[in-house]
């Protein structure tokens, strides 16, 4: 199984075949991060095709499902299995936004780095982020993901609400997602921004050090 073949299978949304293909690639000795890279690249192709009206939401969804199935097979090879020794991270995709592949990868890498992750899922209202902290006052980081330019205001509102909370100085706020930039993160008052899951986990460790 080649990386190119896996890339094509994800683009074409072959949900049943992708897990087997990923397992075959692992068995052949291809490194898990390389397989992940090729699946992320596949989602970029899917996004381009969607933008160009060559495919529509159902096709985009089925590719996302195929990637998720592949990630399930990869997960044990990407994570170290450490426990939550570094403390808790609350993570979620902001209100109005249903994209969770990137957020799930960030959660996975954080777990692997040694955090315990409280995953709030997608379309998370501001109040839910606040309530989750109040339910988990030992949380060290709140991570918010946004994938749409139209949900950047929801990210801003979420960070603003956290910034106004009485416990703000006890927690760090991290943001990320394709349309987010360092400048935007600075503007809305987040503590950290990273472009990908691996650097998010690295930055999280630095933040709690
Ligand atoms: Co949507 N979608 N989508 N989509 N989708 C994008 C994002 C889009 C760029 C496609 C395009 O037009 N080229 C576009 C957004 C345009 C924009 O806003 N500028 C778009 C659109 C328009 C839409 C809809 C509006 C389409 C419609 O209905 N007309 C709709 C919105 C639904 C909603 O959310 N309300 C929609 C729906 C969907 C699906 C549900 C079908 C599906 C999501 C399924 C799912 O996630 N379960 C979907 C998909 C799959 C995509 C693309 C193709 C792939 C996203 C993805 O998973 N990428 C995407 C195009 C693209 O991204 N190239 C697209 C792979 C993933 C690993 O990367 O999520 O960027 P990413 O995560 C990275 C980093 O961003 C970062 O680390 C991750 C791992 O390295 N990161 C963080 C993410 N969160 C972080 C948090 C951090 C730190 C780093 O700290 C806390």
């Amino acid at each position: 199984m080649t990386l190119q073949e896996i890339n094509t299978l994800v683009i074409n949304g072959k949900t049943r075949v992708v897990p087997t293909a990923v397992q075959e690639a692992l068995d052949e000795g291809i490194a898990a991060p390389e397989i992940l890279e090729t699946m992320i690249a596949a989602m970029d192709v899917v996004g381009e095709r969607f933008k160009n009206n060559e495919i529509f939401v159902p096709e985009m969804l089925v590719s996302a499902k195929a990637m998720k199935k592949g990630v399930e097979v990869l997960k044990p090879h990407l994570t170290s299995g450490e426990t939550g020794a570094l403390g808790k991270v609350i993570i979620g995709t902001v209100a109005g936004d249903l994209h969770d592949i990137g957020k799930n990868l960030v959660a996975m890498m954080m777990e692997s780095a040694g955090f315990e992750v409280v995953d709030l899922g997608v379309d998370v209202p501001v109040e839910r982020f606040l309530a989750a902290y109040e339910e988990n006052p030992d949380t060290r980081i709140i991570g918010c993901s946004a994938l749409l330019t139209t949900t950047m205001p929801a990210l801003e509102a979420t960070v603003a609400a956290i910034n106004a909370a009485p416990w703000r100085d006890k927690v760090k706020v991290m943001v990320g997602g394709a349309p987010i930039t360092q400048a935007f993160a600075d503007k809305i008052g987040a503590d950290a921004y990273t472009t990908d899951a691996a650097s998010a986990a690295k930055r999280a460790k630095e933040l709690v050090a």
Side-chain angles (χ1 to χ4, degrees), residues 43-44 47 50 60 96 98-102 145 148-149 177-178 195-197:
M43 297 315 287
D44 285 339
F50 174 78
M60 197 155 61
L98 301 175
H99 297 85
D100 68 355
I101 294 177
S145 182
L148 298 168
T149 45
T195 51
D196 60 68

Side-chain angles (χ1 to χ4, degrees), residues 14-33:
K14 301 291 181 196
T15 49
R16 292 214 185 111
V17 189
V18 167
T20 323
V22 168
Q23 189 56 57
E24 273 178 38
L26 286 168
D27 293 344
E28 287 161 20
I30 302 180

Side-chain angles (χ1 to χ4, degrees), residues 40 43-44 46-48 50-51 57 60-61 64 67-68 91 96-103 105-106 143-145 147-150 174-178 194-197 200:
I40 293 178
M43 297 315 287
D44 285 339
V46 170
E48 270 308 293
F50 174 78
K51 202 167 74 185
V57 170
M60 197 155 61
L61 194 55
M67 169 149 185
K68 282 188 172 188
I91 192 162
D97 201 320
L98 301 175
H99 297 85
D100 68 355
I101 294 177
K103 183 265 298 166
L105 288 176
V106 173
C144 310
S145 182
L147 256 289
L148 298 168
T149 45
T150 51
M174 291 183 69
V175 296
T194 63
T195 51
D196 60 68

Side-chain angles (χ1 to χ4, degrees), residues 32-97:
E34 278 187 63
I35 303 173
L36 181 62
E37 278 302 309
T38 204
M39 293 201 288
I40 293 178
M43 297 315 287
D44 285 339
V45 175
V46 170
E48 270 308 293
R49 289 191 182 169
F50 174 78
K51 202 167 74 185
N52 298 331
N53 293 319
E54 292 163 30
I55 60 164
F56 301 96
V57 170
E59 287 96 330
M60 197 155 61
L61 194 55
V62 91
S63 292
K65 278 192 184 144
M67 169 149 185
K68 282 188 172 188
K69 294 269 179 207
V71 172
E72 278 170 26
V73 178
L74 278 187
K75 189 172 177 182
H77 301 269
L78 289 168
T79 55
S80 68
E82 281 179 53
T83 52
L86 291 182
K88 259 183 210 169
V89 174
I90 291 172
I91 192 162
T93 304
V94 299
D97 201 320

